Amino acid sequence: MFDSLTFIIGKVLVLSNLNIFKFITQKEEARTNNCQTLSLQRGDLLEVPRTLFIHFGIYLGDNKVAHLMPDILPVFTSDKCQIKKVVTNKRLLWGVISKNATIRVDTVEDFAYGSNILVNDMDNTMKRSPLPNEEVARRAEKLIGVIPYSLLWNNCEHFVTYCRYSSPISLQTDKFCEGLKSIVRDQRSVLLATLLGMMSIACLGLAPSTTLPSILVPFALWMAG
């Protein structure tokens, strides 16, 4: 039981790429200096580390970045002044849950949010050659506005890879799915699901709401493994 719990927790931490040091707030001066030292060209692909993921955007020139952000606010208002404000964590979270997003334009400083910026780093890992920078920027500009959002199938990485490589893919999503697949295939997951099912029956009693999941979940994991 302990080994199974350790295995699951370890996998979750690997999948999320958790980095506790990203919680440390950086000074505004450091943010500005970091962005000022960059030499950016229109159409560059920018990426910045967040707490649990990497965020991507396309540089449009004049210190502006187009990037896809989950956002619930456009569902309730068309006031551009309100929508243009920096997306709060609450707006972002509800955007993820409701599957709503916008491709918006912010300053480089607001996009970076205190993190170091990598420029065109994905060119080293993608099999496709990047499009001309001007074409990349024009593609990004055409997509600005409200769009549907999916954490796995239509996120900020899909947006930038479509613009720069003409192929909307997400390497982060691929890594997550591979990690999830390894968990499903590990037989310890079946054992853990079975034990949790037995515990739920013991605590909540024998009922369809406890018995069916206790049977179906381990069976599904067993068949998928």
Side-chain angles (χ1 to χ4, degrees):
M1 179 67 176
F2 178 78
D3 289 341
S4 299
L5 288 173
T6 304
F7 168 76
I8 296 296
I9 293 172
K11 286 293 185 180
V12 170
L13 291 177
V14 170
L15 291 175
S16 62
N17 293 317
L18 185 59
N19 186 348
I20 59 174
F21 296 105
K22 295 303 177 185
F23 286 103
I24 301 175
T25 304
Q26 299 184 18
K27 295 182 180 179
E28 185 69 26
E29 181 180 356
R31 291 176 54 190
T32 304
N33 290 340
N34 171 52
C35 296
Q36 287 179 344
T37 57
L38 292 174
S39 178
L40 301 176
Q41 296 182 0
R42 179 173 160 85
D44 281 345
L45 189 157
L46 311 183
E47 53 185 278
V48 293
R50 294 287 193 255
T51 303
L52 300 177
F53 57 90
I54 298 174
H55 188 52
F56 297 86
I58 298 294
Y59 185 65
L60 302 180
D62 296 326
N63 202 43
K64 302 295 183 183
V65 181
H67 58 127
L68 188 154
M69 286 282 289
D71 190 3
I72 189 65
L73 191 59
V75 176
F76 299 104
T77 180
S78 58
D79 188 340
K80 293 183 179 180
C81 292
Q82 290 291 328
I83 296 173
K84 193 175 181 180
K85 293 180 180 179
V86 175
V87 178
T88 62
N89 289 335
K90 186 179 294 186
R91 281 171 58 181
L92 187 148
L93 179 60
W94 281 108
V96 172
I97 295 173
S98 64
K99 296 185 177 181
N100 289 286
T102 58
I103 295 175
R104 52 184 287 136
V105 178
D106 287 307
T107 65
V108 174
E109 291 79 14
D110 286 340
F111 168 78
Y113 205 66
S115 299
N116 293 324
I117 299 176
L118 293 178
V119 182
N120 298 329
D121 187 66
M122 194 177 287
D123 289 355
N124 300 321
T125 56
M126 290 291 292
K127 296 180 180 179
R128 293 172 177 261
S129 299
L131 298 172
N133 273 32
E134 184 59 30
E135 173 65 18
V136 174
R138 288 178 180 175
R139 284 186 171 214
E141 290 169 338
K142 288 180 181 179
L143 293 174
I144 292 172
V146 179
I147 63 166
Y149 178 78
S150 170
L151 186 63
L152 295 181
W153 316 122
N154 190 33
N155 58 40
C156 61
E157 192 172 4
H158 291 100
F159 163 63
V160 298
T161 51
Y162 165 75
C163 292
R164 188 164 178 85
Y165 309 105
S166 196
S167 179
I169 64 172
S170 173
L171 301 180
Q172 293 181 107
T173 297
D174 292 344
K175 289 180 180 179
F176 175 82
C177 291
E178 284 298 321
L180 190 61
K181 188 188 299 182
S182 68
I183 293 176
V184 171
R185 286 180 173 176
D186 195 293
Q187 295 305 306
R188 286 177 292 181
S189 299
V190 179
L191 175 61
L192 181 60
T194 303
L195 292 175
L196 291 175
M198 294 172 63
M199 290 173 60
S200 67
I201 293 175
C203 295
L204 303 176
L206 193 62
S209 59
T210 56
T211 305
L212 288 178
S214 299
I215 297 174
L216 294 178
V217 172
F219 177 74
L221 290 173
W222 174 264
M223 294 302 295

